[in-house]
Amino acid sequence: MNSIIVDFLEKALVSDYVSSVLVPSGGPDNTFPWTLISDVSALAMAEPVPPVMYVQGAKALASFTQSMTEGKLLAVMRPCEARAAVELSKLEQIDLDNIILLTMDCPGAVPLKEYRRDAGIQPDISIPETIRPLCRQCTEFTSAGDLCLAMHGGLREVLPLTPAGQELLDSLGMKAEPDTSAWIEWASSLKAEREAVSTENRKSLKKAYSGLEGLVEVFSGCISCRSCRTVCPICYCRLCFIDMKDRRCPASAHLENSRSSGAARVMSGTLLFHIGRMAHMSLSCVSCGMCEDACPSDIPVGRLVSMVSAGTTAVFNYSAGSDPEDPLPLNTFRLEELHEYED
Amino acid sequence: MEDFEPRIIGFLCNWCSYAGADLAGTSRLKMPPNLVPIKVMCSSRVDPEMVTDAFLRGADGVLIAGCHPGDCHYDKGNYYARRRFAVLKKVVESLGLEADRLRLSWISASEGARFQQVVEEFTEKIRKMGPNPTGKETLL
Amino acid sequence: MNTKTSVLVSESSIGDTLRDLLGKLLENGEIDSVFALRETRQKGRYCYSLITDPTLIREALPFHPVMPVQGARALSEMTITEPFGRPVAALLRPCEIRAFVENVKQSQGSLENIFIISCTCPGVIPASKLLGEDREDVLANHGGNIRNACRTCTGFIPGPQADMTVLLASDEPHDGTVIYLNTDRAVEIAGKLDSLSRETGKPAAELTSGISEAREKSLKDLMRDIPAPADGLQSLVSLFAACIGCRGCREACPLCSCVLCDYETARTLHSPELVRSEAKRKGSVRVPAGTLQFQLGRLMHISPSCTACGQCSDVCPVDIPVSDIFIRAANLVQESLDYAPGRDTDDTPPMATYLEKELLDITD
Ligand code: SF4
Ligand code: SF4
Ligand code: SF4
Ligand code: SF4
Ligand code: SF4
Ligand code: FES
């Protein structure tokens, strides 16, 4: 898969249709930093689909594309990263105008901490144990962005998904019109399988950690490092509500909490942070699992946000990252709607 | 729980609901003393995290009240507020917390009686639900 | 250095003695609340708590060998806007006290009404080691499992801000409990606890000289082994290659108390034009840019007051030895500035002052 993509990137760079490429490359100590490449020779280091996710691709992309790019940029990322990029463009953190997103049939990613212990592990789509819990239940594992490298159903082919993707293929003189029926078959059956897994997982997650007791339990190990937020592509605010000065909980407030129950946890605001965060961003969560990978306390924080996201997106029939034209639910409204929430 | 007196936080929009509350007061309508009003300039000023904060600090109920749809002083604020409220409710519900402790009501400046009725009704509902367990949780 | 010899002794274990003592102080109103560790509803996970109910003191875990968050950070959260109005007894490790003293100097907290009970510190266990099922074994082999930072910590006897010091780490194992009374307030409080007897003991430093020597040696090794910027850019790049930019190290560090870190502000962002032109010039650049810039910047900002607690390494999800690097740099920086974080609340922070004639060796 890597070599097909690298060949494609090379063609694109040489053609001058694309002026730079964003792709993970092999770095020291089994790392795969995102690299912005202008020179074809630098593609030698490219590892387009590394076994792990160190930095969410959309986060990397957003770090330098808030304003118009000069010349076209071709970014290779996993489907969840491409979907996050779409969300970020709606949030005005990425200007997608001159950016072409190339995704692939995603094999999943190895949990980061496991990979750091044993860099021999490779993600295998058919062995759930090798990939992250959220990857195991991911239903959007292919066909995001402008182009997608299909690797199943007998294909080894970059397929166009949007006019921008088609235009790139045309300019590279890639005209193949393969038979995609077996591939579509593969995708829909895996999707069905994963949907069942995800429903099941969400159910058991909800059962295990439902209600105040459950939430207190699941977040009891949270050390307020905020890494989940910092690495999340959707959480783009420079200063999060939880860190604002007026959120500070002074000694007297802590004491009041403590008096009402006998004792109060300090470094308060753990649940406020997580619930507040979910209220802010769950609509745009792409279930990429980056937050969970980063959590030093092994809290299933990504699975929880993803579970909540299933509930909030259903209200608006919204699907994060699917359609760049579909407005963010909180940035629009209908005059007649949601009457069951008001009186 | 017989002597349980609910504590309800009310985020009231300045232009309609706060004025409605005022009217209820000046008309000397009898009202349960359980609502602690917080004036906001518009229902859309209420960030879900403000509601969450009140909820987690032990407020037994949280009311957001604003102008009726179409009447928002800032034109569309309350339509956005309604969406945000729906999201918050879903979040709270998905996590198995008591979403019924949260309420969104439209009350105009002339509806003193409606204000009284909403507060009374909500207070009774919360009284039946009992105290918010967040108030007694020591590991929050 | 602690030279006090007046001690309280008890035959019960340290945990029981302290819980008993704290419960009594709460009951008789000497203190209003207790700041201590508790276990949460998940085994092996802990949190700091503010306890006001004397019966809940039974849940307190005095000096349990963990540091879920740096105590100074928790105290700073509570006292940055207002001091405690009534006395609180805070159980803190020496590095937590040092960090809080630094917080206070930088207007990030207040020591008012805080009665500090500390210990000669044997070190804490990295949080990640207690997440597994083998946590009982890990706890039992405490000494073999402590943080790297603790192994090299030579400041394991608390400074003058501690009102009481519990003899926890000592060269010879000891039964029962020994508590040093360091301040007048401690003596006054001890007078009200008739269940404990007063004795004269040897100064804590004398009872821990062996530990001190071992720690000095580990610190020397660290100073020798950890790569310094002088070892070349490549070694630093490799060291931080796996950094995922989670900024957990900064969030956990008690000294990084800025509301908005410099490295989140638009000022330190790399402009899109810059990143793209760098890519053109070099053929390829790493994005997001600024991993090393952040780490070096943080070193610049806090190495004068780094208290060597090791919290930053503890939270790093990719096991970068952050604290080794910071402790090494801090040692060099603090030596050249003749500054010891936490030594004295009245010391001026080194970056907020200067001498007309100093540091002549680095200028010409
Ligand atoms: S909340 Fe977690 S899973 Fe969802 S987008 Fe953010 S990092 Fe990904
Ligand atoms: S990464 Fe984990 S420990 Fe850190 S704030 Fe998020 S949930 Fe809490
Ligand atoms: S905790 Fe580790 S991964 Fe996170 S920013 Fe610090 S060094 Fe990087
Ligand atoms: S840099 Fe690391 S070792 Fe130093 S005070 Fe901060 S958290 Fe502790
Ligand atoms: S790195 Fe510097 S600017 Fe950032 S939080 Fe730490 S001290 Fe503040
Ligand atoms: S001003 Fe009343 S809801 Fe907007």
Side-chain angles (χ1 to χ4, degrees):
Chain A
M1 170 147 56
N2 278 334
S3 63
I4 304 179
I5 297 181
V6 172
D7 286 348
F8 185 81
L9 296 179
E10 191 173 336
K11 251 190 228 151
L13 257 187
V14 171
S15 78
D16 273 353
Y17 182 83
V18 156
S19 72
S20 49
V21 159
L22 179 69
V23 63
S25 289
D29 189 21
N30 297 310
T31 59
F32 303 94
W34 286 95
T35 44
L36 182 65
I37 295 180
S38 309
D39 190 322
V40 177
S41 65
L43 281 176
M45 298 294 287
E47 292 268 354
V49 194
V52 276
M53 192 185 282
Y54 277 97
V55 172
Q56 225 271 8
K59 189 122 198 150
L61 186 61
S63 74
F64 67 102
T65 54
Q66 270 194 22
S67 48
M68 261 305 275
T69 25
E70 225 178 278
K72 291 218 186 297
L73 168 72
L74 175 59
V76 188
M77 40 182 76
R78 296 174 190 274
C80 58
E81 296 174 310
R83 281 186 292 120
V86 168
E87 287 304 290
L88 281 176
S89 80
K90 295 183 195 178
L91 292 161
E92 299 187 24
Q93 301 302 305
I94 292 181
D95 183 344
L96 276 180
D97 271 3
N98 265 333
I99 296 174
I100 306 162
L101 298 170
L102 166 62
T103 62
M104 70 296 296
D105 290 348
C106 180
V110 177
L112 182 57
K113 280 169 231 134
E114 268 170 46
Y115 183 78
R116 292 303 297 169
R117 280 191 291 270
D118 175 5
I121 315 177
Q122 291 296 315
D124 185 333
I125 196 165
S126 57
I127 310 174
E129 291 68 40
T130 61
I131 57 180
R132 302 180 299 179
L134 269 173
C135 296
R136 291 176 214 162
Q137 64 181 64
C138 171
T139 53
E140 311 280 340
F141 46 85
T142 183
S143 304
D146 300 297
L147 301 146
C148 177
L149 171 63
M151 293 293 290
H152 292 264
L155 294 185
R156 291 275 181 284
E157 198 86 42
V158 175
L159 306 173
L161 304 169
T162 64
Q166 185 65 55
E167 198 181 305
L168 171 59
L169 288 187
D170 290 349
S171 80
L172 300 182
M174 298 173 70
K175 270 262 164 331
E177 275 170 20
D179 175 5
T180 55
S181 51
W183 175 70
I184 290 172
E185 178 79 13
W186 163 81
S188 56
S189 90
L190 183 57
K191 193 173 166 117
E193 226 172 84
R194 293 270 183 89
E195 242 149 32
V197 174
S198 124
T199 313
E200 202 40 56
N201 288 353
R202 282 178 183 151
K203 236 195 250 153
S204 48
L205 195 65
K206 181 155 186 184
K207 197 158 156 234
Y209 298 123
S210 195
L212 187 62
E213 285 249 340
L215 286 177
V216 167
E217 185 185 326
V218 70
F219 285 118
S220 58
C222 174
I223 57 167
S224 304
C225 71
R226 316 290 192 226
S227 295
C228 46
R229 171 198 73 198
T230 309
V231 300
C232 172
I234 307 302
C235 276
Y236 67 87
C237 301
R238 279 192 208 307
L239 185 60
C240 176
F241 77 92
I242 200 76
D243 292 331
M244 290 185 184
K245 280 190 173 169
D246 61 3
R247 265 279 145 263
R248 282 175 179 161
C249 187
S252 54
H254 271 94
L255 275 172
E256 201 180 297
N257 291 348
S258 175
R259 287 214 186 84
S260 86
S261 50
R265 183 180 164 122
V266 185
M267 287 314 269
S268 56
T270 303
L271 274 191
L272 173 64
F273 164 63
H274 287 290
I275 299 177
R277 175 167 177 260
M278 290 173 192
H280 282 170
M281 53 65 67
S282 65
L283 280 167
S284 293
C285 169
V286 294
S287 302
C288 65
M290 194 61 230
C291 46
E292 216 165 293
D293 259 353
C295 178
S297 307
D298 290 349
I299 294 168
V301 54
R303 275 167 280 173
L304 285 161
V305 182
S306 174
M307 171 186 91
V308 167
S309 160
T312 52
T313 49
V315 176
F316 306 101
N317 199 8
Y318 184 71
S319 162
S322 296
D323 179 0
E325 302 306 319
D326 203 3
L328 290 169
L330 290 183
N331 283 358
T332 182
F333 62 86
R334 292 207 198 99
L335 294 180
E336 293 301 330
E337 63 171 357
L338 303 174
H339 297 312
E340 63 277 29
Y341 292 92
E342 62 184 359
D343 66 66
Chain B
M1 269 314 146
E2 262 169 31
D3 54 356
F4 166 56
E5 274 307 328
R7 268 194 314 174
I8 296 171
I9 301 292
F11 294 102
L12 312 181
C13 120
N14 174 59
W15 304 100
C16 290
S17 308
Y18 197 85
D22 227 21
L23 181 63
T26 50
S27 332
R28 304 196 180 275
L29 297 178
K30 212 171 141 19
M31 225 173 344
N34 305 63
L35 184 109
V36 182
I38 297 177
K39 183 164 28 170
V40 289
M41 288 315 281
C42 175
S43 58
S44 64
R45 170 62 186 90
V46 184
D47 188 308
E49 96 20 57
M50 292 155 69
V51 179
T52 311
D53 194 22
F55 181 85
L56 289 174
R57 286 202 199 194
D60 300 303
V62 185
L63 170 73
I64 302 173
C67 318
H68 285 274
D71 292 344
C72 172
H73 189 74
Y74 308 97
D75 200 16
K76 303 170 192 152
N78 45 10
Y79 292 115
Y80 291 109
R82 183 166 65 190
R83 286 209 155 198
R84 277 184 221 155
F85 184 74
V87 171
L88 178 64
K89 273 265 225 194
K90 267 290 168 229
V91 170
V92 167
E93 206 181 286
S94 307
L95 293 172
L97 296 169
E98 297 168 298
D100 283 351
R101 294 186 185 276
L102 314 177
R103 175 167 177 167
L104 173 68
S105 303
W106 308 128
I107 304 168
S108 78
S110 60
E111 293 178 320
R114 172 162 157 77
F115 182 82
Q116 180 217 30
Q117 183 207 338
V118 166
V119 175
E120 226 164 44
E121 222 182 77
F122 196 36
T123 306
E124 273 328 295
K125 175 171 177 178
I126 299 292
R127 196 188 300 282
K128 282 203 191 87
M129 290 179 77
N132 188 347
T134 56
K136 288 277 170 233
E137 175 56 62
T138 71
L139 284 166
L140 207 59
Chain C
M1 191 41 64
N2 193 323
T3 53
K4 301 290 176 179
T5 52
S6 177
V7 293
L8 286 180
V9 293
S10 139
E11 283 178 5
S12 329
S13 74
I14 290 171
D16 288 342
T17 307
L18 283 175
R19 276 186 289 267
D20 188 56
L21 179 152
L22 293 166
K24 287 213 173 87
L25 294 179
L26 262 186
E27 260 161 19
N28 67 20
E30 279 299 322
I31 55 170
D32 200 38
S33 55
V34 170
F35 176 83
L37 285 170
R38 272 196 302 163
E39 190 164 24
T40 66
R41 282 195 203 116
Q42 275 187 22
K43 281 253 157 291
R45 300 177 185 233
Y46 305 85
C47 69
Y48 271 115
S49 283
L50 199 59
I51 306 176
T52 45
D53 181 348
T55 62
L56 283 180
I57 287 291
R58 65 171 188 274
E59 293 186 6
L61 297 173
F63 304 119
H64 200 63
V66 294
M67 195 182 285
V69 297
Q70 230 272 7
R73 206 165 171 95
L75 281 179
S76 164
E77 187 203 5
M78 288 190 285
T79 60
I80 187 165
T81 43
E82 64 184 36
F84 275 96
R86 298 253 308 123
V88 47
L91 273 60
L92 296 172
R93 291 178 184 272
C95 61
E96 294 177 309
I97 303 178
R98 286 198 289 277
F100 193 51
V101 167
E102 292 303 296
N103 286 163
V104 170
K105 282 189 217 169
Q106 298 173 359
S107 312
Q108 302 298 311
S110 161
L111 274 162
E112 213 174 298
N113 275 321
I114 302 183
F115 181 79
I116 298 181
I117 303 177
S118 190
C119 64
T120 58
C121 182
V124 297
I125 300 173
S128 57
K129 288 196 183 174
L130 294 170
L131 295 179
E133 290 304 322
D134 57 348
R135 69 178 69 85
E136 294 305 327
D137 301 338
V138 174
L139 279 168
N141 176 19
H142 172 199
N145 279 312
I146 58 174
R147 289 178 179 175
N148 260 0
C150 300
R151 265 179 240 290
T152 58
C153 171
T154 53
F156 63 94
I157 300 181
Q161 301 85 8
D163 295 283
M164 292 182 173
T165 302
V166 179
L167 186 68
L168 206 59
S170 61
D171 293 341
E172 302 294 334
H174 59 283
D175 292 326
T177 305
V178 178
I179 305 174
Y180 289 89
L181 306 174
N182 305 330
T183 60
D184 295 344
R185 176 90 175 112
V187 173
E188 186 196 323
I189 283 189
K192 299 182 179 156
L193 299 162
D194 38 21
S195 60
L196 298 169
S197 52
R198 279 281 284 281
E199 283 180 14
T200 304
K202 287 186 182 160
E206 252 176 61
L207 301 176
T208 55
S209 58
I211 299 176
S212 185
E213 252 169 58
R215 300 270 183 96
E216 295 277 1
K217 185 178 172 306
S218 312
L219 181 59
K220 262 206 198 104
D221 294 348
L222 174 115
M223 296 299 284
R224 190 194 52 224
D225 297 342
I226 281 294
D231 294 344
L233 187 62
Q234 271 321 312
S235 75
L236 262 184
V237 170
S238 302
L239 212 51
F240 288 110
C243 174
I244 62 169
C246 72
R247 308 295 198 234
C249 47
R250 178 196 71 204
E251 289 291 321
C253 174
L255 279 323
C256 271
S257 44
C258 305
V259 172
L260 182 63
C261 174
D262 246 11
Y263 303 96
E264 304 296 334
T265 61
R267 187 181 71 76
T268 37
L269 274 186
H270 295 245
S271 80
E273 292 71 25
L274 183 70
V275 174
R276 270 179 244 129
S277 72
E278 285 288 280
K280 279 228 169 67
R281 194 171 62 80
K282 297 181 182 168
S284 154
V285 287
R286 177 177 176 170
V287 289
T291 300
L292 266 193
Q293 188 192 19
F294 161 67
Q295 300 289 358
L296 293 178
R298 201 171 89 80
L299 266 173
M300 278 300 304
H301 290 173
I302 67 113
S303 59
S305 16
C306 167
T307 57
C309 63
Q311 196 69 11
C312 46
S313 278
D314 222 47
V315 301
C316 182
V318 287
D319 295 332
I320 295 171
V322 192
S323 70
D324 287 356
I325 297 155
F326 274 69
I327 289 170
R328 183 185 193 283
N331 262 283
L332 297 172
V333 168
Q334 291 167 9
E335 191 182 85
S336 73
L337 295 170
D338 191 20
Y339 184 74
R343 179 170 48 195
D344 189 337
T345 10
D346 291 334
D347 283 352
T348 314
M351 304 325 274
T353 184
Y354 62 90
L355 297 175
E356 270 178 36
K357 290 233 171 297
E358 67 172 349
L359 302 171
L360 298 176
D361 49 327
I362 58 164
T363 54
D364 61 38

